Amino acid sequence: IAKKTGLSPSTYERAKKIIEEGSEKVKEKLRANKTTISKEYDKIQRDLKRQELLSQMNNNFGNNNSVINKVKLICNDFSKIGSETIPDNSIDLIFTDPPYSQEFLDLYKDLGRLALKVLKPGGSLVTYAGNISLTEIIKIFDSQQPGLKFWWQFVVKHNGGHQRIHARGVFARYKSLLWYVKGEKPNELVVSNNISDFIESSSPSKILHDWEQSSIEPDYVIKNLTLEKHSVVLDPMMGLGTTGVASIMLNRKFIGIEINLSTFEIARLRIENK
């Protein structure tokens, strides 16, 4: 059959899998040459792996009380969280990854307000920032949040494919992490050694979500800007919970907030299975 259709045996097997398990919408896209067999096959395999991982996490859920005692997970809009939920001046580090689109720039205003409220004096806010919007994001923090001081920028090197920024004609080979401090300088007890501003990342699996980030960046920042057993890490846009997993593995307490319920449930399973 592969020979008659002009396909390699492996491509034929992939096409067969799509016919058996793919949606009619996917098949129509293939007929119209709007996608490829390899691309849709990879999506099916990723979905199967995702379901397998979620099933494993569900089976193990609730068995790790030591983790449950270290975390607080909240499904809500972080801008609506009050002091009764997260006390003022109680957080050592905020590490988060806001959406990159221009339409979400106002989230940085809310993030700055939250940081001023909940960070301890000398506490740090470290946030991903889309390179195309860097100047706007820095202006937001500088003009709206005078109590936050820009401290430094981390460069996170991409490994694997590079995204093309069509509007600027640039291939993006790195991501930016902006580091702000509440007050004049970081807590000297926490930041006792010099920290490198270059982080060599690795490609995440993206099995659970297309926007999944590598764990290398939160691991690196948490290790260097917080204290084991004592510090509290907050991610107000925790997504799939990568920051939470890193915090637990590094023996820190963690508070995570996520507005999307389905994403929150995946994060909850990932974190509470560590």
Side-chain angles (χ1 to χ4, degrees):
I1 295 173
K3 287 180 180 178
K4 287 185 176 181
T5 55
L7 301 173
S8 68
S10 62
T11 303
Y12 165 72
E13 290 297 334
R14 291 182 173 202
K16 184 179 176 183
K17 187 79 171 178
I18 294 169
I19 291 170
E20 293 171 347
E21 300 188 20
S23 67
E24 193 57 38
K25 184 177 179 180
V26 167
K27 295 171 190 175
E28 286 296 331
K29 285 174 67 178
L30 281 167
R31 296 185 189 110
N33 292 320
K34 293 181 178 179
T35 187
T36 65
I37 290 172
S38 293
K39 184 176 181 180
E40 296 305 326
Y41 176 81
D42 289 345
K43 285 182 180 179
I44 288 174
Q45 292 301 101
R46 190 171 65 181
D47 286 344
L48 289 173
K49 183 65 176 176
R50 179 176 181 270
Q51 292 305 318
E52 181 184 333
L53 287 172
L54 290 175
S55 177
Q56 290 173 358
M57 288 189 289
N58 268 313
N59 290 336
N60 294 328
F61 178 68
N63 294 330
N64 196 343
N65 290 327
S66 63
V67 169
I68 293 172
N69 292 333
K70 291 180 181 178
V71 302
K72 177 188 287 186
L73 302 178
I74 304 160
C75 186
N76 205 338
D77 179 344
F78 76 87
S79 67
K80 298 178 180 177
I81 299 300
S83 300
E84 69 283 356
T85 303
I86 303 178
D88 295 355
N89 304 305
S90 65
I91 302 297
D92 297 278
L93 169 69
I94 296 175
F95 185 95
T96 197
D97 181 20
Y100 287 179
S101 302
Q102 290 285 114
E103 62 188 289
F104 294 112
L105 282 179
D106 279 351
L107 287 174
Y108 288 93
K109 295 179 183 178
D110 294 331
L111 182 59
R113 283 191 284 266
L114 177 72
L116 278 175
K117 191 169 184 297
V118 303
L119 282 177
K120 297 175 182 177
S124 293
L125 162 65
V126 178
T127 178
Y128 287 94
N131 290 335
I132 198 170
S133 303
L134 271 181
T135 55
E136 294 168 89
I137 294 168
I138 291 171
K139 283 179 182 177
I140 287 171
F141 282 129
D142 287 349
S143 62
Q144 299 291 328
Q145 317 302 335
L148 289 177
K149 182 174 184 177
F150 174 77
W151 197 252
W152 207 253
Q153 176 184 351
F154 296 99
V155 171
V156 182
K157 180 189 173 186
H158 287 300
N159 280 311
H162 307 307
Q163 183 182 3
R164 183 182 178 190
I165 311 300
H166 293 275
R168 301 295 169 89
V170 171
F171 282 104
R173 302 191 66 181
Y174 76 95
K175 293 180 285 190
S176 293
L177 282 172
L178 299 180
W179 178 12
Y180 283 81
V181 174
K182 181 177 177 179
E184 286 302 309
K185 60 182 180 178
N187 184 329
E188 291 180 354
L189 180 64
V190 173
V191 188
S192 56
N193 298 307
N194 292 329
I195 179 172
S196 172
D197 61 5
F198 179 81
I199 305 170
E200 184 149 1
S201 190
S202 65
S203 300
S205 67
K206 300 201 173 184
I207 290 171
L208 294 173
H209 200 287
D210 287 342
W211 297 342
E212 186 176 351
Q213 294 280 14
S214 168
S215 63
I216 290 176
E217 296 96 279
D219 278 353
Y220 183 80
V221 172
I222 291 167
K223 280 179 186 176
N224 283 280
L225 298 186
T226 63
L227 295 173
E228 185 177 3
K229 297 181 181 179
H230 297 285
S231 294
V232 182
V233 179
L234 167 65
D235 188 343
M237 291 170 273
M238 73 171 172
L240 298 170
T242 302
T243 305
V245 171
S247 299
I248 297 306
M249 297 299 287
L250 294 169
N251 201 17
R252 276 72 167 172
K253 293 181 180 180
F254 176 71
I255 300 174
I257 307 171
E258 171 55 42
I259 194 170
N260 182 280
L261 179 58
S262 59
T263 305
F264 173 83
E265 287 300 325
I266 295 173
R268 180 177 63 88
L269 288 171
R270 288 185 72 204
I271 292 166
E272 294 185 0
N273 271 281
K274 289 298 174 187

